[in-house]
């Protein structure tokens, strides 16, 4: 049943969020899921870290591995995993590269992805399969699949006795729904399939620990956990930790995973050191309160856009700060068309949102975050109505 704005009321803004971000007030930011937004206290800490680094570079780098290790321990605790299983990485693009370099594949193996996967991750998997002589198989998940059970059954139906690897989204980027649930991961593990979870949107958005059923799990902290760009995590099951070799050998290589993956010479490590401060912000407002606010707000926004434009909301998963709606046939079916729609919303209405190409009509994704306010979705709705009219 499609929700209406009357059925979904917007939440009251959480107290203390008015000056928490430094976003341009002349811009309506409804695309938190792409690049995030950094709270001012975390910005301030990162600036202090930069000044500390430039005051004494030798001393800063001498102590850096231990300080990164301390940040790793704090982040691991927040994600419900062990520090020795978690490596800090710049983003999920790095994480999938490390993962694919360490997962054995043989000629004739089947590798599963879905058509909801993030483009660069899917492309990395395709290249790895091609190099190994494995066969990439794409599971088609219709946009109107009603629930998680239907998604689970569709993925499991594609598994064969030659399926060696499945690379699945925790929360899909274009369509904002869950795929790699613990139930699905458990079923795949029971069939002997190595599982890799692209959890780019999970840290900070979903409660609960990293699923123990996943062989490899990676996510970004700069989206919903308020960490600086670029900060991500790679988490592996215990049996993999001693086997991981980094893509680039460094002076910490002798330490083994995770330090061997984290250390990349003279990179900027201030995002890693400042990431725990993002968790502090989340804790100060209450993770449950933030999630409830964001879910209610984006639910209101999606219902409002649907009511004013006639767009159909796609099935959504509970607990998410993102929603998706289906655009009409002929709109945003290709990447250039989707880019033009986003550019038009920016030029005409100063709205930052995201559309993703899809055959038969693209997908519009909405986000809700502490800095968003209910009237902003009305501007998006009216602007879209005009563009699509």
């Amino acid at each position: 049943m499609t929700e209406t704005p009357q059925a979904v009321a917007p939440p009251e803004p959480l107290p203390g969020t008015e000056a928490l971000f430094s976003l341009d007030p002349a811009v309506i930011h409804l695309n938190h899921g792409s690049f995030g937004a950094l709270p001012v206290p975390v910005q301030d800490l990162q600036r202090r870290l930069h000044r500390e680094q430039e005051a004494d570079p030798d001393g800063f780098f001498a102590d850096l591995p231990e300080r990164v290790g301390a940040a790793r321990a704090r982040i691991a605790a927040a994600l419900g995993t062990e520090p020795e299983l978690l490596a800090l990485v710049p983003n999920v693009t790095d994480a999938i590269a490390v993962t694919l370099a360490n997962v054995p594949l043989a000629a004739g193996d089947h590798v599963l992805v879905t058509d909801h996967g993030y483009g660069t991750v899917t492309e990395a998997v395709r290249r790895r399969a091609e190099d190994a002589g494995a066969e990439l198989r794409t599971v088609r998940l219709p946009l109107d699949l009603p629930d998680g059970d239907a998604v689970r059954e569709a993925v499991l139906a594609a598994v064969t006795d030659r399926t060696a690897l499945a690379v699945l989204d925790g929360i899909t980027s274009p369509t904002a729904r869950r795929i790699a649930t613990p139930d699905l991961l458990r079923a795949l593990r029971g069939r002997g399939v190595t599982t890799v979870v692209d959890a780019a949107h999970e840290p900070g958005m979903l409660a609960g620990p990293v699923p123990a059923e996943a062989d490899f799990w990676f996510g970004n902290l700069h989206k919903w956990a308020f960490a600086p760009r670029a900060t991500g995590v790679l988490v592996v099951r215990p049996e993999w930790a001693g086997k991981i070799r980094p893509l680039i050998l460094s002076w910490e290589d002798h330490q083994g995973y995770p330090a061997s993956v984290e250390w990349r010479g003279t990179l900027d490590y201030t995002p890693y050191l400042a990431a725990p401060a993002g968790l502090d912000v989340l804790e100060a407002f209450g993770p449950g309160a933030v999630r409830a606010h964001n879910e209610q707000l984006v639910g209101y926004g999606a219902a409002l856009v649907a009511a004013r434009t006639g767009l159909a909301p796609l099935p959504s998963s509970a607990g998410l700060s993102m929603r998706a709606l289906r655009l009409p046939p002929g709109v945003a079916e290709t990447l250039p068309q989707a880019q033009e729609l986003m550019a038009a919303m920016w030029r005409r209405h100063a709205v930052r949102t995201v559309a993703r190409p899809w055959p038969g009509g693209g997908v519009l994704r909405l986000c809700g975050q502490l800095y968003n306010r209910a009237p902003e979705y009305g501007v998006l709705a009216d602007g879209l109505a005009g563009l699509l009219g």
Side-chain angles (χ1 to χ4, degrees), residues 103-294:
V103 172
L105 278 180
D109 284 346
H110 291 174
V111 180
L112 289 188
V113 296
T114 80
D115 58 347
H116 292 237
Y118 192 70
T120 55
V121 171
T122 299
E123 176 61 16
V125 178
R126 184 194 66 77
R127 292 187 185 185
R128 175 70 175 96
E130 185 178 84
D131 290 345
E135 180 181 339
L136 183 68
R137 295 195 159 195
T138 301
V139 182
R140 306 293 175 187
L141 300 176
L143 290 175
D144 58 357
L145 279 178
D147 53 30
D149 289 339
V151 170
R152 177 180 181 276
E153 293 309 311
V155 173
L156 291 178
V159 175
T160 71
D161 57 1
R162 293 166 60 187
T163 303
L165 177 67
V167 181
L168 305 171
D169 290 68
I171 302 168
T172 61
S173 180
T175 53
R177 66 182 304 170
R178 298 191 69 183
I179 291 183
T181 61
D183 283 347
L184 175 54
L185 295 172
R186 198 158 33 245
L188 289 167
R189 185 169 181 79
R191 300 186 186 195
V193 179
T194 298
T195 53
V196 175
V197 179
D198 177 359
H201 291 275
E202 290 195 26
M205 186 192 293
L206 291 185
V210 172
E213 296 83 1
D215 289 284
F216 297 83
W217 184 97
F218 42 78
N220 288 321
L221 300 183
H222 72 261
K223 295 179 183 289
W224 303 96
F226 296 145
R229 306 169 207 92
T231 311
V233 294
L234 167 64
V235 181
V236 303
R237 280 181 57 87
E239 60 265 30
W240 288 100
K243 303 175 183 177
I244 301 299
R245 300 184 68 183
L247 297 176
I248 299 172
L249 191 143
S250 75
W251 286 111
E252 294 297 302
D253 190 69
H254 66 287
Q255 301 283 3
Y257 183 88
S260 62
V261 168
E262 290 171 342
W263 192 254
R264 301 275 289 277
T266 51
L267 294 187
D268 182 7
Y269 296 91
T270 62
Y272 295 177
L273 300 182
L279 299 176
D280 291 340
V281 171
L282 199 58
E283 288 294 332
F285 286 95
V290 172
R291 294 180 186 115
H293 169 275
N294 292 349

Side-chain angles (χ1 to χ4, degrees), residues 14 54 105 143 208 274 297:
L14 294 187
E54 296 312 316
L105 278 180
L143 290 175
L297 181 60

Side-chain angles (χ1 to χ4, degrees), residues 30 301 303-309 345 351 364 366 375-388:
L30 296 177
L304 181 65
V305 171
R308 293 190 186 178
T309 64
M345 284 301 302
V351 173
L364 179 76
L366 307 184
E376 297 176 331
Y377 299 93
V379 176
L380 171 66
D382 291 341
L384 275 173
L387 287 172
L388 301 176

